[in-house]
Amino acid sequence: MYKVIIDCDPGHDDIMAIFCALANKEKIDILGYTTVCGNNLLDKVTDNLCNVLSFLNIEAMVAKGAHKPLFYDSEPQPIAHGESGLDGPVFTYSNLKPINLNANDFLYNTISKEEKVILFGLGPLTNIASFIQKHPDIISKIDKLIIMGGSIYKGNILEESEFNIYCDPHSAKIVFDSSLDIILAPLEVCDFCTLHHNIIEDFKDKSKLFQLTYEILEFYFRYSKRKGDIKSPVFDLAVPMYLLHPEIFEGKNAFVDIILDQDKRGKTIINYNEKGNTLVLDKCDNHLFEQYFLNDLNTLEKLL
Ligand code: RIB
Ligand code: CA
């Protein structure tokens, strides 16, 4: 059983990643969630997570983390995720509140008690870097850190920078310079981690979970539809998919360096090297990726 803590900034694709993890409860035990300022401000992304989990009657530990990146100011991304950070569904009530412990203390308390923990990094790496700096004594208990972020050569916020790393490059540098065993899903592998826009056509009114997924993905797909695409990368979903189905991915080891300066802020420099601490993914079987996700939704629907 994988013991997992999900660090996230929900976010449409963060929620799809969470659905995938929740569906695989025989393999993944979610110990809790930590939230980070990224796609939107900390309060908004935390509310988004609590709203979704509460709506589905899922009990969870949610700990709030960083309000802003280490040095730069926060930069909400309404173009992709809307003003709320999770536009599409409208929630009227949530009975899930974050716990009275910040992300750093929650990570410390939880990881200390476990033999090994896997971390998912679905947003900027501010919480994880701060944990590494504050508790170097227990980072050996982190079996692996699976991150969505960075790129091999392209960008989605600057020409060669991806949003999560751009948002807080200083924290990213601390993380990649650490001794952690890292798996990185950069933009290039996410080109294979896609869902066709037509999959949601029969989701409407099917059940509470499918209706919610419809509302989330219908909004999320608009961004790619405006460009004329028939499918969208669901970035963060690559992270649990890799944990569950590593055989559908390909990648190579590397050391990863981060550019901190404003003009190329957040660019990831991938130095391929067998001894590198980061497995940089570059290919995924798109057909299986989509099939596994559809299976996960059907499984989760039965579990709820
Ligand atoms: O660049 C993609 C990342 O930024 C994902 O984590 C997504 O949630 C977005 O906010
Ligand atoms: Ca995210």
Side-chain angles (χ1 to χ4, degrees):
M1 178 71 94
Y2 300 123
K3 305 269 184 175
V4 171
I5 300 175
I6 302 181
D7 186 68
C8 55
D9 62 336
H12 301 71
D13 53 327
D14 303 67
I15 297 295
M16 294 305 116
I18 290 167
F19 285 175
C20 169
L22 285 166
N24 288 278
K25 67 179 231 171
E26 280 157 26
K27 292 184 188 150
I28 296 181
D29 177 9
I30 304 176
L31 302 175
Y33 303 81
T34 50
T35 54
V36 62
C37 162
N39 140 52
N40 215 307
L41 302 179
L42 183 69
D43 284 343
K44 285 198 185 179
V45 299
T46 308
D47 283 352
N48 293 340
L49 175 62
C50 290
N51 284 339
V52 167
L53 294 174
S54 165
F55 179 77
L56 297 174
N57 297 315
I58 294 167
E59 286 179 18
M61 304 268 262
V62 176
K64 288 170 80 170
H67 281 271
K68 68 179 284 300
L70 208 47
F71 287 112
Y72 288 117
D73 287 331
S74 52
E75 290 189 24
Q77 295 300 306
I79 293 182
H81 299 284
E83 290 301 328
S84 71
L86 185 66
D87 274 14
V90 177
F91 299 96
T92 50
Y93 171 78
S94 165
N95 61 10
L96 181 63
K97 297 272 170 279
I99 57 174
N100 268 336
L101 214 55
N102 65 39
N104 214 302
D105 291 342
F106 172 76
L107 286 167
Y108 181 74
N109 291 355
T110 312
I111 295 173
S112 306
K113 281 188 226 137
E114 299 291 335
E115 206 174 311
K116 287 281 180 193
V117 169
I118 293 171
L119 290 186
F120 286 177
L122 309 184
L125 295 165
T126 322
N127 291 342
I128 297 174
S130 135
F131 178 72
I132 291 171
Q133 289 203 311
K134 210 166 165 198
H135 300 292
D137 47 317
I138 65 160
I139 65 164
S140 60
K141 286 190 155 213
I142 300 172
D143 184 33
K144 44 176 137 326
L145 164 63
I146 315 178
I147 296 170
M148 187 283 129
S151 60
I152 300 168
Y153 61 87
K154 53 201 267 181
N156 67 354
I157 180 112
L158 296 182
E159 207 178 324
E160 296 173 297
S161 304
E162 179 279 335
F163 175 72
N164 285 342
I165 306 296
Y166 164 90
C167 188
D168 191 347
H170 298 85
S171 289
K173 186 160 175 54
I174 293 167
V175 170
F176 286 101
D177 285 350
S178 75
S179 58
L180 287 178
D181 190 358
I182 299 171
I183 292 106
L184 181 67
L187 290 176
E188 288 75 7
V189 79
C190 294
D191 285 341
F192 299 92
C193 299
T194 54
L195 298 177
H196 284 88
H197 297 154
N198 62 8
I199 62 157
I200 60 169
E201 277 165 15
D202 62 348
F203 285 9
K204 230 177 161 202
D205 298 327
K206 196 174 158 199
S207 67
K208 211 172 168 185
L209 174 71
F210 274 95
Q211 175 64 25
L212 174 61
T213 307
Y214 173 84
E215 289 171 14
I216 292 173
L217 288 180
E218 192 280 324
F219 183 90
Y220 184 68
F221 288 166
R222 287 182 203 175
Y223 182 76
S224 296
K225 275 189 177 170
R226 283 198 289 269
K227 294 190 285 173
D229 296 343
I230 57 162
K231 52 188 183 172
S232 294
V234 186
F235 305 99
D236 295 339
L237 183 53
V239 169
M241 278 294 174
Y242 174 80
L243 181 64
L244 292 160
H245 309 288
E247 71 287 349
I248 69 168
F249 289 86
E250 288 177 32
K252 287 191 280 298
N253 276 69
F255 290 109
V256 176
D257 201 7
I258 310 293
I259 297 193
L260 305 175
D261 301 339
Q262 194 60 263
D263 58 335
K264 292 201 173 188
R265 167 180 164 187
K267 176 175 160 64
T268 41
I269 312 285
I270 313 287
N271 295 309
Y272 287 109
N273 183 320
E274 271 179 22
K275 296 198 177 106
N277 65 335
T278 303
L279 174 65
V280 181
L281 305 175
D282 51 20
K283 282 204 185 69
C284 171
D285 182 324
N286 170 240
H287 175 71
L288 286 174
F289 182 90
E290 187 170 280
Q291 282 311 307
Y292 284 137
F293 179 65
L294 292 172
N295 291 347
D296 288 341
L297 285 180
N298 284 308
T299 307
L300 184 58
E301 183 188 37
K302 292 190 191 93
L303 290 173
L304 294 174

